[in-house]
Amino acid sequence: SYDWAPAIPPSIVLSPRHAGARVGQPFSAQLIASGAPTGYTALNLPEGLFLDSATGFISGTPAVAGEFLVDVGAANAAHPEGPSRLLT
């Protein structure tokens, strides 16, 4: 037997595609990646939102208003750093 690792870096999207959050209101969104993802990252999430790095699930209640550039990423066995993508 052998271990198979995808040679292609993961491609990542957000579901729902256009997810808007409101201060004080519960929010959730799912990062979805191709290429057998092994983990997810999210930098610059608004205060009150959190990422489950194993599943890519973002949830919480935003505490501040504003526009945020969130850098999300996914990794797989062949690409442990993985690509990233900016979301606003």
Side-chain angles (χ1 to χ4, degrees):
S1 88
Y2 63 92
D3 290 332
W4 178 79
I8 301 170
S11 173
I12 190 166
V13 296
L14 180 68
S15 178
R17 188 173 192 123
H18 301 285
R22 297 192 187 280
V23 172
Q25 299 294 315
F27 172 83
S28 65
Q30 178 68 51
L31 297 175
I32 301 170
S34 64
T38 56
Y40 297 85
T41 58
L43 303 174
N44 199 36
L45 281 172
E47 183 181 339
L49 295 183
F50 305 93
L51 170 72
D52 181 323
S53 62
T55 66
F57 190 68
I58 298 171
S59 63
T61 303
V64 294
E67 187 170 307
F68 298 85
L69 276 171
V70 178
D71 185 4
V72 297
N76 64 19
H79 299 276
E81 296 295 317
S84 65
R85 171 179 199 171
L86 289 174
L87 305 174
T88 56

